[in-house]
Amino acid sequence: MSRENTLTPHVYWAQRHGEIYLRVELSDAQNLNIRVQENTLCFKGQGHGAKGENEYEFSLDFLKPVKAEVTHRSTQRQVNITVKKRERGWWDRLAAQERKPLFLAPDFDRWLDESDAEMELREKEEKLNKILFESRIPKDPYLGLKKGYLFMYNLVQFLGFSWIFVNMTVRLFILGQDSFYDTFHTIADVMYFCQILAVIEVVNPALRLVRTGVLPPLIQVFGRNFLLFIILGAQEDMQNKPVVFFIFYLWSTIEIFRYPFYMLACIDTEWKLLTWLRYSLWIPLYPLGVIAEAVAVIQSIPIFDETKVLSLPLPRALGTSLSFSYILQLYLAVMFLGLFINFRHLYKMRKRRFRAKKKKAN
Ligand SMILES: CCCCCCCCCCCCC[C@@H](O)CC(=O)SCCNC(=O)CCNC(=O)[C@H](O)C(C)(C)COP(=O)(O)OP(=O)(O)OC[C@H]1O[C@@H](n2cnc3c(N)ncnc32)[C@H](O)[C@@H]1OP(=O)(O)O
């Protein structure tokens, strides 16, 4: 307790199950002498307190036994003291005497009631367990290499699709509707390059380089490449149709957001707007893309019938050949099945992404 004729600083306190925190209001404290003797904390020190620059002291008999070792840290504004309780538990008050010493007050910055303190303790334990658990999972020695490879792949695709998108947009502004008719001749080489490279997107999940299934990218890559190489590539008459413009424009619109999103993921970075665009733009674009592709397939059916390109030779008894247009009619039905599978997949990915973000925010 404070003795008469000595200056006493203001002292604020709070407790946890295992320790007592004291905050002594003394700035620029020097010559500190802080110890616990016979369950009494004795404090002496010089500094700037309630009565200006002076020597201040106080002593405090604790309600229950504490350990003899005291830790303290002085900052420019105060001295922080931590005393360990001998037995874990919650104290009704700090001082042995029933009447609270005048210089003592609760530290509301650190104050917790018993149940909050238990919650804090549990959270700390959970965090510690998580760190222990994570430290036991062996780190992947090739992680850097994998991320570097994925980053480069996504960068190349981003550059390719950006070129396509910008080129088509500029041509649309300059030539207007005329640009619809020669999209294929100006864009196809780069589109071939990007779509051949996109086969890697089926390989990546198969090698567990990315966290997704093989089927959705397989449907995506097969669907696009079937259209690009067979329906457009094998039939010159299809190449100057305006539908090619819409297909290429829809493909490149999603990709100029999807690949930068992956690039950022490779360097553990996220831009909220980009994430939102990657997981939202497909909602209108995917069905539009499938409709445009279906229009191209339908337009190509009479051309394949007429030119007999890719028709299957049949034994003489069954006729001369089987037109590729039958395969295309079957493919039209499969396309909508593909749309259903990938639409459901993308919906799940969107939900997973935004649910994970909501959890993080809470
Ligand atoms: C067996 C043969 C069947 C043949 C059936 C034929 C049916 C044909 C139907 C064809 C329909 C195609 C229509 C299509 O061409 C139309 C269009 O494209 S229109 C334009 C709009 N399109 C889109 O919006 C689709 C764009 N494409 C995609 O989104 C993907 O290709 C898709 C496979 C559909 C989904 O991607 P994914 O499964 O990978 O989902 P996420 O993006 O959420 O990624 C999951 C996690 O993996 C990480 N990841 C994935 N790829 C990469 C990468 N390259 N680099 C780095 N990381 C990657 C990603 O970050 C996620 O990780 P985390 O969960 O930790 O964040």
Side-chain angles (χ1 to χ4, degrees):
M1 301 294 122
S2 66
R3 289 191 304 267
E4 276 172 33
N5 300 330
T6 59
L7 294 176
T8 315
H10 291 305
V11 180
Y12 298 90
W13 79 283
Q15 65 170 318
R16 297 293 181 269
H17 286 87
E19 58 256 328
I20 303 288
Y21 302 126
L22 295 165
R23 175 162 58 83
V24 183
E25 289 280 285
L26 202 60
S27 51
D28 298 320
Q30 283 169 358
N31 304 330
L32 289 172
N33 184 357
I34 304 168
R35 64 204 143 80
V36 169
Q37 245 177 0
E38 292 165 15
N39 221 43
T40 300
L41 176 81
C42 305
F43 176 98
K44 211 178 220 180
Q46 270 175 327
H48 197 97
K51 295 269 159 53
E53 188 70 35
N54 257 308
E55 188 170 79
Y56 290 83
E57 62 181 284
F58 69 90
S59 61
L60 188 61
D61 292 336
F62 289 114
L63 177 69
K64 290 183 183 173
V66 295
K67 291 185 182 165
E69 67 268 23
V70 193
T71 53
H72 65 88
R73 200 170 65 89
S74 47
T75 69
Q76 234 176 4
R77 292 180 48 215
Q78 65 208 31
V79 181
N80 295 318
I81 303 171
T82 305
V83 181
K84 287 212 159 71
K85 293 177 180 173
R86 188 157 291 171
E87 275 173 25
R88 295 178 62 78
W90 204 251
W91 294 5
D92 295 337
R93 58 177 194 272
L94 182 65
Q97 65 175 87
E98 260 182 55
R99 262 189 67 194
K100 181 177 74 65
L102 285 174
F103 64 88
L104 194 62
D107 183 348
F108 288 113
D109 288 344
R110 304 194 80 164
W111 195 260
L112 289 183
D113 63 24
E114 189 174 0
S115 57
D116 288 341
E118 264 165 21
M119 198 112 82
E120 187 191 65
L121 195 68
R122 232 174 290 137
E123 274 168 17
K124 266 189 197 159
E125 278 170 3
E126 272 170 20
K127 256 188 209 158
L128 199 70
N129 284 342
K130 201 171 156 227
I131 292 169
L132 276 174
F133 178 75
E134 279 170 2
S135 67
R136 271 190 226 127
I137 299 172
K139 290 257 178 311
D140 182 353
Y142 301 110
L143 193 67
L145 203 63
K146 285 179 191 170
K147 285 194 171 180
Y149 149 75
L150 284 174
F151 185 89
M152 287 313 292
Y153 166 74
N154 294 314
L155 176 65
V156 172
Q157 288 286 31
F158 171 61
L159 293 177
F161 279 105
S162 301
W163 183 90
I164 294 172
F165 183 81
V166 172
N167 199 309
M168 289 179 72
T169 308
V170 172
R171 285 171 54 80
L172 180 66
F173 274 105
I174 297 173
L175 303 173
Q177 290 191 5
D178 286 349
S179 74
F180 290 176
Y181 300 94
D182 61 354
T183 304
F184 193 86
H185 299 109
T186 39
I187 304 295
D189 287 342
V190 181
M191 191 59 98
Y192 280 147
F193 172 79
C194 291
Q195 280 305 133
I196 290 173
L197 200 62
V199 173
I200 285 182
E201 273 170 56
V202 184
V203 177
N204 286 343
L207 296 179
R208 302 237 162 271
L209 293 176
V210 296
R211 275 201 322 150
T212 191
V214 175
L215 186 64
L218 183 65
I219 291 176
Q220 169 81 36
V221 173
F222 179 90
R224 282 191 187 176
N225 285 354
F226 182 80
L227 189 110
L228 182 65
F229 289 96
I230 297 182
I231 294 177
L232 304 180
Q235 283 296 359
E236 264 189 49
D237 287 353
M238 281 302 296
Q239 293 174 1
N240 53 9
K241 298 235 182 266
V243 72
V244 180
F245 174 90
F246 293 100
I247 293 171
F248 285 9
Y249 212 57
L250 286 164
W251 290 0
S252 57
T253 307
I254 190 71
E255 306 307 30
I256 57 172
F257 297 107
R258 188 164 72 102
Y259 289 113
F261 164 80
Y262 290 151
M263 279 158 67
L264 289 187
C266 292
I267 52 170
D268 300 319
T269 307
E270 187 180 350
W271 292 348
K272 278 189 186 135
L273 179 64
L274 190 61
T275 305
W276 186 85
L277 288 168
R278 188 273 168 273
Y279 284 105
S280 304
L281 276 181
W282 62 269
I283 300 172
L285 295 187
Y286 210 83
L288 284 177
V290 173
I291 290 169
E293 288 178 32
V295 169
V297 174
I298 292 166
Q299 286 180 341
S300 74
I301 288 176
I303 303 176
F304 275 100
D305 269 339
E306 202 182 312
T307 57
K308 303 255 181 281
V309 171
L310 295 177
S311 59
L312 291 175
L314 289 176
R316 203 172 277 170
L318 294 173
T320 51
S321 63
L322 180 72
S323 170
F324 189 64
S325 64
Y326 291 110
I327 309 268
L328 292 179
Q329 285 166 41
L330 187 71
Y331 180 70
L332 266 180
V334 177
M335 261 184 98
F336 286 92
L337 183 68
L339 164 73
F340 171 74
I341 295 175
N342 269 6
F343 210 84
R344 211 176 59 147
H345 171 74
L346 281 165
Y347 175 72
K348 272 192 198 157
M349 289 315 224
R350 181 178 204 272
K351 235 171 67 177
R352 188 181 88 179
R353 164 67 51 168
F354 291 127
R355 199 186 320 119
K357 279 185 75 178
K358 237 188 220 166
K359 259 191 199 165
K360 260 187 210 166
N362 288 337

